[in-house]
Amino acid sequence: MSVSASSLSQYLEQLPGTTFRKLYQQPSTAFAIFRRMLPHMAKTIVMAILYSPTPFLLSDLDLWVKPTATREKDQALAILRSLHIVQPQSLTLTANFKNSLRLALEGGGDHNSFGVPSTDPIPAEVDHAFLDRYARKKWDDILHYVVSATGLTSIEKGSSGPKQSVKDLLMAGRLVERSHGELKITHIGFSFLLQEANAQVWALLLLWLEAIDAAHANGAKSDMDSVDMLSFFFLLASLEFGRAYSTDALTESRRNMLPVLIDFGLIYIPQHNTHQFFPTRLATTLTSNETALRSVSAGFSAASSATSDEQDKCTIILETNFRMYAYVHSPLQIAVLALFSDLKFRFKGLVSGHLTRKSIKKAVSHGITAEQIVSYLSTHADEQMYRYAAANNKPVLPPVVIDQIRLWQLDTERISTRDGYLFKEFDEYKEYKAVADFADNIGVCAWRNDKKGIFFATKVEQIKDFMKSRKKANEAGNAG
């Protein structure tokens, strides 16, 4: 298992059609995937055929789409087919997805797919601010544990860190590892730290799913099923933040999931009333773009600007001589800065250092990209830098520094490898051109050589379906 390959889209695309049929039985799942996973063009296509009384033809779609948007259309269709939302060679919605999305939009039914509100009184201490603090503490414990493996900081006093089950999951996902008795962070762990919180949460949830699947493959008995677990995650994402929901309405397997979700900070259950649970902001924003949580230190607080904490703010001033000043209090933020910079001095509320060839190359060797570093610096740039850039019509960060960061990364990339599939030896050039153009249009063609009639693709499923349909069409034409 590895976080690098466990983004939600990649995880879903590798699932078989039978799994999607089970997932789409729940309206909350169909609605969540429609809302989070589909680009605008794909959503438009789905809504156009959702209530259409007659079949929607591909030729009709071509009339809708401008010639300049053909590539966008092909990519949208490829996503819809990979997620088993439409039939392989038509624009017909799969039955379960169609029925569930209609229920989600119209309401009705007794599926309880969007949770059952609790009728018990809400404890006086539980409000939005309380849930924010609770979730943030849980998530910070996890992040502090990962960062402590860098050796640059230790787990904060007064914090016991995450539960052992979470630590085991981090070890299984190879975010951290033990070497000669010491906890060490891996390059996957470094990349994890620089992700936004929403991606971090999904990374751990998907590691949990993979752990359950691995346990089943090894013959271990468990009442948890990865398909039902994934469906429950989508249900949590559809709940209302701050509202109490009944645990009694959940199945036994889902109730058994609650302790781990508590460890992640996704839900809160009052000690004096275990019959109700509260989804936190980490759960309710799983399938929305509401939280662009770029702060790896807070991992959560930026979800709501109203609850931001001075303790977690980090503002950076970057000079053209590669010197960096960061106004920061959080040990976690300081550790993150040390991942890609050479820190020289540390004062109360201020650290200073340099971006050097050695520090950038070290970061790159741990899986951190130049673009991630640039994005981080830009996100945390001091307000004065933004004002100066706007007044003088200049970029926020010094171009000479940004260019050099990218050049230092290129120094380490004399050669790179990439998994994929090589297509060659086509019967005729016309066939090669059609298949290569299709792969290019859906965004999976990484390299092509039209002169030699070969191309390299990162994914093969959609190309295989296209080649099969093309072959059938040719055979039908020859028979006629």
Side-chain angles (χ1 to χ4, degrees):
M1 295 183 295
S2 68
V3 174
S4 59
S6 63
S7 71
L8 181 58
S9 59
Q10 290 173 327
Y11 182 84
L12 290 175
E13 287 176 3
Q14 69 185 6
L15 296 177
T18 53
T19 299
F20 277 99
R21 283 194 288 272
K22 293 179 182 178
L23 283 173
Y24 292 153
Q25 288 176 355
Q26 296 296 321
S28 58
T29 301
F31 184 66
I33 289 180
F34 172 81
R35 188 171 66 164
R36 175 183 172 88
M37 305 302 302
L38 302 186
H40 180 72
M41 174 78 77
K43 290 180 181 178
T44 302
I45 294 173
V46 170
M47 293 307 298
I49 60 181
L50 181 61
Y51 292 99
S52 177
T54 58
F56 201 85
L57 303 177
L58 286 170
S59 57
D60 295 334
L61 181 62
D62 291 335
L63 296 176
W64 276 29
V65 180
K66 295 180 179 179
T68 54
T70 300
R71 181 187 181 96
E72 186 179 357
K73 179 204 69 176
D74 290 339
Q75 290 177 344
L77 290 176
I79 292 173
L80 291 174
R81 286 166 181 155
S82 67
L83 295 177
H84 297 268
I85 292 175
V86 298
Q87 302 290 348
Q89 299 301 328
S90 69
L91 274 182
T92 304
L93 291 176
T94 54
N96 285 357
F97 182 87
K98 180 178 181 179
N99 295 334
S100 291
L101 185 59
R102 281 187 170 187
L103 275 175
L105 296 177
E106 299 171 0
D110 56 357
H111 47 79
N112 293 332
S113 181
F114 293 95
V116 177
S118 172
T119 57
D120 296 340
I122 297 177
E125 72 276 7
V126 178
D127 56 13
H128 286 190
F130 172 86
L131 292 174
D132 281 346
R133 290 193 300 269
Y134 166 84
R136 175 188 165 163
K137 174 64 169 59
K138 290 286 188 179
W139 196 247
D140 270 355
D141 283 348
I142 296 175
L143 294 183
H144 274 286
Y145 179 76
V146 176
V147 169
S148 69
T150 64
L152 298 167
T153 184
S154 59
I155 296 179
E156 285 189 331
K157 293 181 179 180
S159 173
S160 59
K163 294 290 184 65
Q164 187 59 46
S165 60
V166 180
K167 294 179 182 179
D168 292 341
L169 199 60
L170 296 173
M171 293 279 288
R174 292 187 285 118
L175 277 74
V176 296
E177 60 185 19
R178 288 207 174 272
S179 177
H180 304 293
E182 293 185 0
L183 193 66
K184 299 288 186 181
I185 190 170
T186 66
H187 69 92
I188 299 174
F190 276 105
S191 298
F192 173 81
L193 285 176
L194 289 187
Q195 290 178 334
E196 60 183 27
N198 188 277
Q200 290 173 341
V201 174
W202 270 114
L204 290 191
L205 291 177
L206 295 180
L207 284 176
W208 187 18
L209 294 180
E210 291 176 4
I212 294 296
D213 285 337
H216 286 167
N218 294 331
K221 292 184 178 180
S222 173
D223 63 344
M224 294 186 190
D225 173 70
S226 59
V227 178
D228 183 58
M229 291 169 67
L230 185 58
S231 181
F232 188 45
F233 299 157
F234 287 129
L235 183 151
L236 290 175
S238 68
L239 301 182
E240 182 181 343
F241 174 57
R243 189 170 186 177
Y245 292 87
S246 172
T247 59
D248 297 330
L250 302 176
T251 62
E252 183 178 357
S253 63
R254 291 187 173 184
R255 283 197 295 270
N256 292 336
M257 294 170 57
L258 298 182
V260 179
L261 295 173
I262 291 174
D263 294 341
F264 288 165
L266 268 66
I267 64 170
Y268 169 75
I269 296 181
Q271 293 184 354
H272 59 277
N273 185 2
T274 58
H275 296 286
Q276 63 179 193
F277 72 93
F278 296 82
T280 68
R281 205 184 300 271
L282 284 177
T284 59
T285 57
L286 276 174
T287 58
S288 73
N289 294 322
E290 179 183 336
T291 88
L293 299 180
R294 302 179 186 275
S295 169
V296 294
S297 67
F300 175 77
S301 63
S304 172
S305 58
T307 60
S308 63
D309 193 332
E310 289 292 329
Q311 180 69 14
D312 295 299
K313 286 187 177 179
C314 175
T315 58
I316 297 173
I317 295 177
L318 184 63
E319 297 181 338
T320 55
N321 58 4
F322 298 87
R323 184 171 294 174
M324 179 186 71
Y325 302 92
Y327 297 93
V328 58
H329 294 274
S330 169
L332 191 58
Q333 280 281 20
I334 295 172
V336 170
L337 291 172
L339 300 181
F340 57 83
S341 65
D342 182 15
L343 297 182
K344 297 292 187 182
F345 303 101
R346 179 174 176 178
F347 307 99
K348 184 177 181 180
L350 172 68
V351 295
S352 68
H354 285 84
L355 299 179
T356 65
R357 177 196 294 266
K358 183 178 179 181
S359 67
I360 297 299
K361 284 191 172 183
K362 181 180 178 181
V364 171
S365 69
H366 287 298
I368 302 172
T369 67
E371 293 305 319
Q372 284 178 312
I373 296 172
V374 171
S375 176
Y376 184 86
L377 292 171
S378 177
T379 300
H380 294 280
D382 188 82
E383 185 179 350
Q384 292 292 337
M385 295 181 66
Y386 278 99
R387 290 178 181 175
Y388 178 82
N392 295 275
N393 196 25
K394 292 184 177 181
V396 176
L397 301 177
V400 63
V401 177
I402 304 309
D403 292 342
Q404 190 60 62
I405 291 175
R406 290 172 175 147
L407 289 173
W408 281 334
Q409 175 176 298
L410 290 175
D411 284 344
T412 67
E413 297 177 349
R414 301 299 184 185
I415 186 171
S416 61
T417 61
R418 192 173 188 179
D419 294 333
Y421 307 85
L422 183 66
F423 291 80
K424 61 180 182 178
E425 298 179 359
F426 288 87
D427 292 337
E428 56 183 13
Y429 182 80
K430 182 180 179 181
E431 181 185 0
Y432 156 76
K433 189 71 166 56
V435 177
D437 287 346
F438 174 78
D440 200 23
N441 286 338
I442 64 175
V444 300
C445 181
W447 173 85
R448 62 188 290 177
N449 187 321
D450 290 341
K451 186 176 181 181
K452 295 183 178 180
I454 59 177
F455 72 92
F456 182 81
T458 55
K459 295 181 181 179
V460 71
E461 291 79 9
Q462 299 296 320
I463 299 176
K464 288 169 62 177
D465 290 339
F466 176 78
M467 294 177 70
K468 288 179 181 178
S469 63
R470 182 177 172 84
K471 183 178 179 180
K472 288 181 180 178
N474 291 336
E475 290 176 350
N478 294 333

